[in-house]
Amino acid sequence: MFAEIITIGDEILIGQIVDTNSAFISKELNKIGVSVYQITSVQDEREHILKALGEAKQHAQLVILTGGLGPTKDDITKHTLCEFFNDTLVQDLDVLAHVEHLFEKYITTSAISEINRDQALIPAKSEALHNAYGTAPGMWIRDGETVFVSLPGVPFEMKHLITDAVIPRVVSEFERPYILHKTLVTYGMGESAIAEKIETWENELPDFIKLAYLPNLGRVRLRLTAKGLDRKALEMAVEREIDKLHPLIGEIIYGLENEETLEAVIGKLCVAKGVTLSTAESFTGGKIAQQITSVPGASAYFKGSVVSYATATKIEVLNVDEKLIENHSVVSHEVAEAMAHNVRDLLGTDFAIATTGNAGPTKGDSDVGIGTVFIAIATPERVFTEKFMMGNHRERVVQKSVNKAFELLQKEILKF
């Protein structure tokens, strides 16, 4: 079964807002076996909306529109739907009562107007979907073999309508296959290198299982997608294929996406081994600490962080020798190791991470090239540093370095 999503609004096309609605709807539809064929964004303009509706009907059994349902003249979705279906607007008394109730209870600063009451006008061929959190109802319109659903564009309202009204009705009215996704997260090996190692395995995948490579900042996600009528059979087949992967690349697989992040894996290791952790961050600006503390229960093993962004802070708080910086530069093996060693001792932890580098766009307090990064790991027995060249895009340099720091740390904790 295929669906199409149409988002309506100039604000999306000019970049004023990001279309998060389509991502949410796609994910919810996928959970119930509905494949999204296409996502289209159009202006609040009659001809564009009519064209998008006509094209969607050709290849989708379910068409979901969001946006253009406000009370002002620039919101034309309901009128355009009437034109497309050769229909007229009629007043829905239940919707009208809801709108009046909202104004009476929550909107006391202004009286209800006829424009507000017009929110209760819906195409005669449609069924209203109750919007508990706003004045614009959702609308369900069946036209031959295709169902059109029109929803308000406000994300909070749209999400509740999808969850409470649309998904249950799609489940009850349409026959759908199962769609199963399992995504393995790998660190420390590039996409092409992984592809070489698993080429034979990939070529021998069953026809109903597809593999996608999703590389991103020092890690590659491998998504297996299976589609069929028997959910249990799909789950067993995907698990068999994952079992075959572990002898090939098991050393770089860190878990399943949406189940455990690498920082969560590290947290479990720290608890199991009874060890503690601290961080000293320069150019990463506290992002390593932020990801560690995003894991519930991190206080059991994470003692804290020193964000020594300025050179003076490295000297005054972390007690990095000023002469060490003068002789080797603030971005160096020596300084990274001093930061890791000193924060480990300062906070009394077993392990520590330290980062120093040049993320750009200017060189700052060091002459090293943009993208040069040093990551140090302090363990109970030693301190070591690795140097990396992370490119020239500031945000990517930072996040790649955070991911690499976790990768290095996890390997060391496993040895403990």
Side-chain angles (χ1 to χ4, degrees):
M1 177 182 175
F2 289 105
E4 179 159 335
I5 300 168
I6 301 172
T7 59
I8 300 170
D10 297 343
E11 63 274 16
I12 295 172
L13 296 172
I14 65 173
Q16 189 173 19
I17 67 168
V18 176
D19 175 23
T20 58
N21 285 356
S22 294
F24 177 82
I25 295 169
S26 297
K27 186 177 291 186
E28 295 305 303
L29 291 177
N30 193 265
K31 290 177 184 177
I32 60 169
V34 179
S35 299
V36 175
Y37 178 87
Q38 184 168 291
I39 298 172
T40 304
S41 294
V42 298
Q43 297 176 333
D44 277 302
E45 200 277 323
R46 168 185 161 277
E47 290 185 5
H48 286 187
I49 298 173
L50 290 173
K51 182 173 182 288
L53 290 170
E55 291 176 352
K57 186 178 179 181
Q58 294 177 23
H59 40 67
Q61 293 102 333
L62 176 66
V63 181
I64 297 181
L65 300 85
T66 67
L69 294 179
T72 54
K73 290 183 179 179
D74 62 324
D75 289 310
I76 62 171
T77 298
K78 287 193 291 189
H79 296 282
T80 309
L81 286 171
C82 282
E83 183 175 350
F84 184 77
F85 294 114
N86 191 25
D87 202 357
T88 56
L89 293 175
V90 296
Q91 190 176 72
D92 187 292
L93 296 179
D94 290 334
V95 175
L96 178 60
H98 174 64
V99 172
E100 291 175 339
H101 168 73
L102 289 178
F103 269 83
E104 181 182 350
K105 187 169 184 179
Y106 300 108
I107 309 173
T108 57
T109 56
S110 61
I112 188 170
S113 68
E114 286 307 309
I115 292 177
N116 301 127
R117 289 190 173 92
D118 283 348
Q119 289 286 70
L121 295 174
I122 65 172
K125 295 178 182 178
S126 71
E127 296 176 55
L129 303 176
H130 178 61
N131 178 5
Y133 301 96
T135 59
M139 293 172 284
W140 179 285
I141 308 169
R142 179 172 284 280
D143 185 59
E145 298 299 316
T146 305
V147 167
F148 293 79
V149 179
S150 181
L151 303 174
V154 179
F156 182 71
E157 298 176 27
M158 177 277 302
K159 288 179 180 180
H160 280 279
L161 278 161
I162 283 287
T163 302
D164 299 340
V166 178
I167 294 299
R169 188 156 179 178
V170 171
V171 168
S172 67
E173 294 193 17
F174 290 94
E175 291 186 6
R176 299 148 287 105
Y178 291 103
I179 301 175
L180 177 68
H181 297 292
K182 282 289 182 74
T183 302
L184 294 164
V185 182
T186 72
Y187 284 82
M189 187 178 292
E191 177 184 9
S192 58
I194 294 174
E196 283 187 31
K197 280 183 168 286
I198 66 174
E199 181 179 6
T200 300
W201 170 86
E202 183 177 357
N203 291 337
E204 293 175 354
L205 283 172
D207 291 341
F208 60 90
I209 299 179
K210 306 298 180 186
L211 174 68
Y213 294 83
L214 307 168
N216 182 29
L217 303 179
R219 64 182 181 180
V220 179
R221 293 174 295 158
L222 303 175
R223 187 186 67 221
L224 288 165
T225 300
K227 183 186 286 189
L229 298 176
D230 188 329
R231 184 178 184 85
K232 188 170 184 178
L234 293 179
E235 291 174 346
M236 292 174 62
V238 169
E239 289 301 324
R240 282 196 299 270
E241 296 305 323
I242 290 175
D243 288 342
K244 294 176 188 177
L245 263 185
H246 279 275
L248 303 175
I249 55 169
E251 71 280 4
I252 64 167
I253 295 175
Y254 287 88
L256 290 169
E257 188 175 62
N258 299 326
E259 291 187 5
E260 284 190 322
T261 61
L262 184 50
E263 50 268 33
V265 171
I266 288 170
K268 286 186 175 181
L269 280 173
C270 287
V271 171
K273 294 177 178 287
V275 297
T276 54
L277 174 63
S278 58
T279 64
E281 300 186 57
S282 183
F283 74 99
T284 50
K287 286 186 71 68
I288 295 174
Q290 187 275 324
Q291 289 188 212
I292 292 171
T293 56
S294 70
V295 179
S299 59
Y301 52 87
F302 184 60
K303 293 292 187 70
S305 176
V306 175
V307 181
S308 53
Y309 202 74
T311 299
T313 308
K314 295 178 179 67
I315 297 168
E316 296 166 9
V317 179
L318 283 177
N319 297 317
V320 176
D321 193 326
E322 191 170 357
K323 290 184 178 179
L324 194 71
I325 295 173
E326 291 175 359
N327 293 335
H328 300 284
S329 146
V330 72
V331 181
S332 62
H333 283 280
E334 292 79 6
V335 169
E337 290 187 5
M339 291 170 63
H341 179 278
N342 292 359
V343 78
R344 182 192 62 186
D345 291 352
L346 177 67
L347 296 180
T349 60
D350 301 295
F351 290 85
I353 299 170
T355 61
T356 182
N358 187 349
T362 59
K363 288 191 174 181
D365 292 342
S366 175
D367 289 332
V368 301
I370 293 171
T372 305
V373 167
F374 292 92
I375 300 173
I377 304 293
T379 77
E381 292 85 19
R382 67 179 183 132
V383 181
F384 72 95
T385 310
E386 291 197 19
K387 177 182 179 181
F388 302 94
M389 300 302 296
M390 296 295 193
N392 58 10
H393 187 281
R394 182 177 178 82
E395 287 77 17
R396 290 175 61 85
V397 169
V398 171
Q399 192 58 55
K400 286 170 72 174
S401 300
V402 171
N403 292 344
K404 180 57 70 173
F406 284 133
E407 179 190 335
L408 295 175
L409 176 66
Q410 195 247 13
K411 289 178 181 177
E412 292 304 310
I413 297 176
L414 282 172
K415 297 175 185 176
F416 184 72

